[in-house]
Amino acid sequence: MEELDDLLEELYKLKRIGIKLGLERIRKLLDKLGNPQNSYKIIHVGGTNGKGSVCRIISSILQEGGYTVGLFTSPHLIHLGERFVVNGEEIKDDELFDVLKVVLNAAKKMDEKPTFFEISTAIAFEFFRRREVDFAVIEVGMGGRYDATNVVSPIISIITNVAIDHSEYLGNNIEDIAKEKAGIIKDGIPVITSATGKALDVIDRIARKKHAELISGNGRWERRDFGLNGQRFVVHGIFRDYELETPLLGRFQGENITLAVLAIEKLQMMGVFLPDGCIERGVRNASNPGRMELVSTNPKILLDGAHNVGAIKALIESLEDFPYNDLILVLGILSDKDINGMIKEIAPLAKHVITTMPKSERACESEELVEIVKKHNPVCKVYSTKNVREAISKAKEISKPDDLICITGSLYTVGEARAILYESG
């Protein structure tokens, strides 16, 4: 669709503006659109890691209950439409064209131009209004307090966990970052979290100040079984215990599932009706591409978009679930991340490391990654590649039947890899 391509090119040019936190631009833009975000009930999901999984599980459960549910997540893996989903279906090209045209035209009337993410957020809100959704599950982009999504009036707020990430914008310590994440807490609106330690202390203090009920997901789940086809958890909810099966891999999914279940139970306490079995079916049917996703068994290829130290640690813990001989690591990381910290954690596990660069102006040079890998694992074999396709080819070339290829470091790297691997079958 040539007209859509032209509009998308116009949208992607806004990436040059970069990240500009603040709510003034998005508020003006939404005012021009008639504030579509006020047309439906919103569940607002922030935190450092696990946001996407929590959003998708909640969306899946509500859909099982017969509701029309909008889902806004970011970034996308392959194409923009992945960000805008209603009842499991991405926005169609003609719908995206219509909504994007309206939003860009509104943006042109503003003195200070909105950013790429602000336009994307407005597209989601307007698309969901047009589709007349009952609920919209909205993932925070970065931080919380000044994130473009924080113009909403949610019925529930969720803060998954708090770890060091985006330090140049959010701060260099857990307390500062927790304060930014807790910026999504609204007066009198329940907040659910799996944060711990100092981060939990900050969130608790802000929740008390805003008279917002705080519900912790900590200690509420146990893993009972796991395998390459999925796993089983017991979640101790507010009402009862749930035995839940999920295709999502990684032991940390117990935490994400628990937050989703607690949010759904809280909705039920607010009068949202859900037939029996919706939670079980919704958890079983939820998927999250690019996060602990086994895309091939011959050779074994695992995709995980871990892009900060906390997520890398969770990946390492989950790798214990996978039977393999040698680990072949494909690494592509953005230059504004804690590259040394990430590589320090995961490089020692690998027999081979293949460094690469995703198609992003923020990508770290492949050769720079090589030097950091050698520092933290002097005995592994390291290969530098120019792009993700070359890296995958090299990984397949050196892998043996019992090895595991793990592609990680960035959702941009994982998105490209996923497209390449599915294209080649």
Side-chain angles (χ1 to χ4, degrees):
M1 191 174 177
E2 193 174 329
E3 290 173 310
L4 175 58
D5 290 340
D6 291 342
L7 285 185
L8 287 173
E9 187 178 342
E10 190 176 335
L11 172 63
Y12 277 103
K13 282 179 183 174
L14 295 175
K15 281 208 163 190
R16 296 172 191 163
I17 297 174
I19 297 167
K20 291 171 70 175
L21 296 177
L23 302 180
E24 189 178 342
R25 291 176 304 277
I26 186 69
R27 282 190 176 129
K28 285 182 178 176
L29 178 58
L30 292 172
D31 275 343
K32 291 181 183 300
L33 296 171
N35 288 301
Q37 76 279 8
N38 297 334
S39 303
Y40 33 79
K41 297 180 180 71
I42 288 175
I43 295 101
H44 199 196
V45 184
T48 302
N49 296 311
K51 299 190 296 286
S53 292
V54 172
C55 286
R56 288 171 185 273
I57 295 164
I58 291 172
S59 178
S60 180
I61 294 170
L62 288 172
Q63 193 180 330
E64 286 294 331
Y67 295 101
T68 303
V69 187
L71 173 65
F72 175 53
T73 58
S74 61
H76 56 272
L77 292 179
I78 300 168
H79 52 84
L80 186 75
E82 296 168 26
R83 297 178 183 232
F84 320 111
V85 173
V86 171
N87 280 11
E89 291 187 1
E90 293 173 21
I91 190 170
K92 294 180 173 63
D93 281 355
D94 58 339
E95 292 174 306
L96 181 55
F97 173 78
D98 290 342
V99 176
L100 181 53
K101 186 175 182 182
V102 167
V103 174
L104 285 175
N105 283 341
K108 285 172 185 172
K109 297 172 185 173
M110 294 171 57
D111 294 331
E112 186 181 2
K113 294 296 177 273
T115 66
F116 173 88
F117 185 71
E118 288 163 349
I119 295 285
S120 300
T121 302
I123 291 169
F125 291 153
E126 176 62 17
F127 173 52
F128 297 156
R129 175 169 65 178
R130 294 183 180 204
R131 282 292 197 94
E132 299 181 336
V133 303
D134 301 303
F135 294 92
V137 185
I138 305 296
E139 179 185 2
V140 171
M142 182 198 296
R145 184 162 55 134
Y146 295 122
D147 184 76
T149 64
N150 203 29
V151 292
V152 300
S153 299
I155 55 174
I156 289 178
S157 303
I158 298 171
I159 300 169
T160 57
N161 50 50
V162 179
I164 302 292
D165 197 14
H166 300 295
S167 297
E168 68 274 35
Y169 297 102
L170 306 180
N172 291 303
N173 61 67
I174 289 294
E175 293 94 330
D176 287 346
I177 295 174
K179 186 178 178 182
E180 293 301 321
K181 303 289 184 188
I184 70 170
I185 299 174
K186 303 296 190 296
D187 289 337
I189 302 302
V191 57
I192 300 166
T193 187
S194 58
T196 58
K198 292 178 180 178
L200 180 58
D201 292 342
V202 172
I203 292 167
D204 180 56
R205 186 173 69 247
I206 292 171
R208 287 174 188 273
K209 189 176 178 182
K210 297 192 175 183
H211 306 288
E213 178 189 7
L214 180 63
I215 303 168
S216 172
N218 296 322
R220 286 182 174 266
W221 61 274
E222 304 155 39
R223 188 165 72 156
R224 292 288 170 85
D225 193 21
F226 64 92
L228 297 186
N229 294 319
Q231 45 191 343
R232 189 163 53 90
F233 293 95
V234 171
V235 171
H236 308 294
I238 300 168
F239 300 148
R240 64 180 179 87
D241 290 350
Y242 301 84
E243 190 162 312
L244 302 168
E245 295 177 4
T246 176
L248 301 174
L249 303 179
R251 62 186 65 188
F252 56 83
Q253 292 298 354
E255 180 180 303
N256 297 330
I257 290 167
T258 299
L259 293 177
V261 169
L262 292 173
I264 292 295
E265 287 187 317
K266 197 63 193 170
L267 288 177
Q268 290 175 305
M269 292 167 74
M270 295 173 180
V272 174
F273 174 73
L274 285 168
D276 289 345
C278 286
I279 288 176
E280 288 81 358
R281 290 193 302 276
V283 172
R284 190 165 58 243
N285 293 334
S287 63
N288 197 7
R291 283 80 166 180
M292 288 302 294
E293 182 183 15
L294 194 66
V295 292
S296 169
T297 54
N298 185 26
K300 280 203 282 282
I301 302 178
L302 180 71
L303 304 180
D304 189 65
H307 56 274
N308 55 54
V309 174
I312 286 288
K313 286 180 176 178
L315 166 60
I316 290 167
E317 189 177 67
S318 295
L319 284 176
E320 294 173 15
D321 293 347
F322 290 81
Y324 62 88
N325 185 23
D326 291 328
L327 177 65
I328 300 168
L329 202 58
V330 175
L331 271 182
I333 307 175
L334 300 188
S335 56
D336 55 355
K337 298 296 180 178
D338 181 3
I339 298 170
N340 186 69
M342 292 168 66
I343 292 177
K344 180 182 178 181
E345 294 291 338
I346 199 164
L349 277 67
K351 178 78 175 287
H352 306 271
V353 178
I354 302 163
T355 65
T356 192
M357 295 175 64
K359 293 173 186 170
S360 169
E361 63 278 5
R362 291 156 56 204
C364 181
E365 291 289 335
S366 187
E367 288 295 339
E368 188 178 330
L369 295 179
V370 168
E371 295 309 309
I372 301 171
V373 170
K374 284 179 177 176
K375 181 173 75 172
H376 294 297
N377 186 349
V379 298
C380 77
K381 294 182 180 176
V382 192
Y383 312 83
S384 173
T385 61
K386 297 187 184 72
N387 54 58
V388 174
R389 188 178 293 276
E390 186 184 333
I392 291 171
S393 177
K394 184 66 180 177
K396 286 182 174 180
E397 176 193 319
I398 62 178
S399 70
K400 296 177 182 144
D402 292 331
D403 292 343
L404 173 66
I405 299 169
C406 178
I407 303 173
T408 190
S410 168
L411 281 168
Y412 292 89
T413 304
V414 162
E416 281 185 49
R418 196 171 190 273
I420 291 162
L421 290 163
Y422 277 104
E423 151 203 308
S424 61

